[in-house]
Amino acid sequence: MHHHTETIQHTSHSYTHTQNPKVKMKATHIALCTFLVLLLASEVQVSMAVTCSPVQLSPCASAITSSSAPSNLCCSRIKEQKPCLCQYLKNPNLKKFVNTPNARRVASTCGTPFPRC
């Protein structure tokens, strides 16, 4: 005749540690979603009426003046300003900045080649 005694210990504290990172992740996720919504909302407004302002292309200045790759902001601005590029090419002050091989390279890199004016 065997006496079989088992001691079972219940550990309930193992669940409490996993809660914090998830809360942080959720907050980050919400912030990211809010940012994307704002980004999309502003994109919609821009596409409805493009304000032709060469200043909008300032994020591309470093890419145009050097051989560095254009930033995402630069590319989105070129896409926005595409209807205005011909106007800029007609302006003698802007032409020397816009009508350069580097400016064309930046536009092509962004997938927005210059329109035929």
Side-chain angles (χ1 to χ4, degrees), residues 62-70 100-110 114:
S62 61
I64 292 172
T65 53
S66 70
S67 56
S68 62
T100 61
N102 257 1
R104 289 177 185 277
R105 174 188 58 82
V106 168
S108 296
T109 306
C110 290
F114 273 34

Side-chain angles (χ1 to χ4, degrees), residues 71-84:
S71 64
N72 289 341
L73 179 62
C74 164
C75 285
S76 65
R77 291 287 174 82
I78 284 184
K79 285 188 178 89
E80 277 171 22
Q81 295 286 309
K82 192 179 179 180
C84 310

Side-chain angles (χ1 to χ4, degrees), residues 31-32 45 49 80 86 96 101 113:
L32 190 68
Q45 286 169 346
E80 277 171 22
C86 287
K96 57 179 179 270

Side-chain angles (χ1 to χ4, degrees), residues 35-102:
F35 175 70
L36 288 172
V37 167
L38 289 171
L39 201 70
L40 290 169
S42 62
E43 281 292 308
V44 171
Q45 286 169 346
V46 168
S47 61
M48 282 199 258
V50 178
T51 309
C52 287
S53 167
V55 179
Q56 293 293 312
L57 295 174
S58 58
C60 300
S62 61
I64 292 172
T65 53
S66 70
S67 56
S68 62
S71 64
N72 289 341
L73 179 62
C74 164
C75 285
S76 65
R77 291 287 174 82
I78 284 184
K79 285 188 178 89
E80 277 171 22
Q81 295 286 309
K82 192 179 179 180
C84 310
L85 291 172
C86 287
Q87 203 175 306
Y88 300 158
L89 288 168
K90 286 174 192 153
N91 182 325
N93 297 322
L94 294 173
K95 191 176 180 177
K96 57 179 179 270
F97 177 71
V98 180
N99 195 22
T100 61
N102 257 1

